[in-house]
Amino acid sequence: MTTSSISSVTAAAGRPRFFWEEAADDWRAACGAGRRPEFSEYVTRSLRALREGVGREAGTVPAMRSVHRVPLRDDGLDRLPDRYVAEHCTLTLFGLHQHTASEPVHRPGVGLGTACLLLRRGEALTEAAVERRLIAAATAQDLHELVQHLQRLVPLLQQAGVGLDYTRLFRELAVWDGTGRNRVLRAWGLQYTDPGTPVPTEGEAAGESEGRERAPYWVTFEPGSPDAGAELAALRAGTGREPGTVAVMWPFHRTRMASEWRNKGSLTRDLAAEHTALTLFARHQQTHDRRMHVPGNSPGTAVGLLARKAATAALERRFGHLLTSADAEELAMHLRSFAPLLNRAGVGLDYDLLSTALRTWDDPRRPHAAGRFRQRWDRDFHTTVTASS
């Protein structure tokens, strides 16, 4: 395939195909023609040019100009377009990744989170090492810092034979310094924590494991473990933050959703509820050597136990405000105000129940959910208070 024929290939949307897409097509064309599966001289020469651009400023590497597909317009501005800079960064990362790889490393559909999940499941690095690198990239303050982290991560993917969707990465880099970063972060986190199909336990048939989910973090939390303090601190970092965007929380998420939603970084009710429950649990659990997740203890029961210790009109009034929450966000706000009180009193709470309430409180598909929770929690409160007399 010649230089001109490669660059003339267009995507279905009518845009010129990016160089990493052209390289993959070039390799497949050689296979389809019965030739040795290898890249053409044009692609090999261009890959060398991409590696020359590593660490260099966009637009300053003459050898890379022929592989850019984002056009530069003479608009009189000194600043290069964000998409052009993002393409430069993506090209150099692709050059590092494709270097010495015998097959195309551009793999459509494999986001960065998925790639790191595949890397984690391999034997080259420990789970902690992979998470450390992914979290470092996710917490980069700007595009320049992000690319520096990715330059260290990409060779590890190459060594492990893990590919990456470079068209997707290009789009993510293009919005990193803008308003689209949170969706990118959520997509990476959701991809990385994708539980997939559970592994059957001993004596269990493969099909039986498909409906079994990993237990929520608050169920499996071990108060006496060496990492307990650090884990709770990581979860508290998510307080008030947008669900799914706090990288240090990613290892503790168990939310399941369709792959399409994960790849889009969708903010679902399940994810929002789990995020809030995790942050509440972390504030509630700190300093205690026994688990504060207590099945059966609804917010009504928990506040009732508080009232038995020190009944005040203010406490009952605050509980009334919680019951009348208009939506899940307001409910979460009131629950956050109770977390320190429950912590100091050593009163537990059912976080499975709490997560369900946060997920369904204002769900239009469940118009009666909030009412049922209000009635039950109010009944639990009064039952618990009167039980002391």
Side-chain angles (χ1 to χ4, degrees):
M1 185 177 290
T2 65
T3 303
S4 59
S5 63
I6 291 177
S7 59
S8 66
V9 179
T10 57
R15 63 161 175 82
R17 293 180 68 78
F18 293 108
F19 173 73
W20 48 85
E21 296 171 327
E22 297 171 359
D25 288 344
D26 176 79
W27 187 88
R28 284 192 291 269
C31 295
R35 301 193 305 272
R36 181 180 177 182
E38 61 183 4
F39 294 107
S40 67
E41 181 184 350
Y42 160 70
V43 170
T44 303
R45 185 173 64 250
S46 297
L47 288 171
R48 288 196 295 269
L50 298 187
R51 294 193 294 276
E52 289 179 25
V54 175
R56 304 274 295 278
E57 187 176 341
T60 65
V61 186
M64 287 184 63
R65 290 172 187 164
S66 64
V67 295
H68 272 283
R69 300 296 175 258
V70 174
L72 280 177
R73 295 181 175 84
D74 187 11
D75 51 12
L77 298 177
D78 293 334
R79 183 174 177 273
L80 290 171
D82 291 341
R83 283 173 55 82
Y84 188 88
V85 175
E87 186 187 27
H88 169 87
C89 296
T90 309
L91 284 167
T92 58
L93 290 168
F94 172 69
L96 287 173
H97 198 169
Q98 189 62 70
H99 183 51
T100 74
S102 59
E103 297 184 1
V105 298
H106 168 57
R107 308 278 173 80
V110 180
L112 184 66
T114 300
C116 287
L117 176 61
L118 295 172
L119 183 61
R120 187 187 78 190
R121 289 174 175 170
E123 299 179 353
L125 292 173
T126 65
E127 181 175 339
V130 175
E131 285 180 5
R132 187 166 59 250
R133 286 166 170 80
L134 177 59
I135 290 173
T139 52
Q141 296 300 303
D142 54 34
L143 178 61
H144 176 70
E145 183 184 348
L146 171 61
V147 171
Q148 288 182 321
H149 287 297
L150 293 179
Q151 285 170 354
R152 293 189 282 271
L153 180 58
V154 157
L156 300 176
L157 297 177
Q158 193 271 338
Q159 293 166 18
V162 176
L164 190 60
D165 187 334
Y166 275 88
T167 304
R168 180 186 183 88
L169 183 64
F170 160 71
R171 294 176 181 140
E172 292 170 341
L173 297 185
V175 301
W176 186 259
D177 287 335
T179 57
R181 183 186 300 191
N182 278 355
R183 181 174 282 272
V184 172
L185 286 171
R186 190 159 43 244
W188 289 356
L190 288 168
Q191 292 163 9
Y192 183 70
T193 58
D194 187 351
T197 302
V199 178
T201 58
E202 187 175 353
E204 179 180 46
E208 294 173 347
S209 68
E210 293 181 0
R212 181 166 46 80
E213 301 181 7
R214 294 176 65 190
Y217 173 77
W218 49 81
V219 172
T220 60
F221 174 74
E222 293 295 339
S225 67
D227 298 325
E231 291 174 359
L232 294 176
L235 295 179
R236 290 196 299 273
T239 302
R241 305 274 295 279
E242 188 173 320
T245 66
V246 185
V248 291
M249 290 184 66
W250 290 346
F252 310 107
H253 279 290
R254 306 290 184 262
T255 299
R256 300 181 70 94
M257 66 175 70
S259 296
E260 181 182 359
W261 290 2
R262 287 183 176 277
N263 287 329
K264 290 180 179 179
S266 301
L267 179 51
T268 63
R269 289 181 176 275
D270 285 350
L271 180 63
E274 184 186 32
H275 172 90
T276 301
L278 284 169
T279 58
L280 287 168
F281 174 74
R283 296 179 71 186
H284 188 179
Q285 180 65 53
Q286 59 183 334
T287 73
H288 286 286
D289 57 5
R290 62 184 177 86
R291 193 179 297 146
M292 286 292 101
H293 165 59
V294 178
N297 267 24
S298 73
T301 301
V303 178
L305 291 171
L306 285 177
R308 286 171 59 173
K309 292 175 180 287
T312 64
L315 181 66
E316 188 165 355
R317 186 165 57 250
R318 289 172 68 176
F319 181 62
H321 291 326
L322 183 150
L323 291 181
T324 57
S325 297
D327 52 34
E329 185 175 350
E330 185 181 349
L331 175 62
M333 179 188 70
H334 290 302
L335 289 168
R336 279 193 288 270
S337 74
F338 276 105
L341 303 178
L342 296 173
N343 171 268
R344 287 195 291 270
V347 174
L349 193 59
D350 187 335
Y351 279 87
D352 287 335
L353 171 64
L354 200 65
S355 179
T356 300
L358 288 164
R359 186 175 67 248
T360 60
W361 193 267
D362 56 356
D363 188 342
R365 297 168 300 178
R366 299 173 174 84
H368 305 297
R372 293 193 181 101
F373 282 118
R374 290 185 181 108
Q375 292 173 7
R376 174 182 169 182
W377 294 355
D378 187 51
R379 183 175 63 250
D380 290 347
F381 172 77
H382 291 289
T383 300
T384 304
V385 170
T386 57
S388 63
S389 56

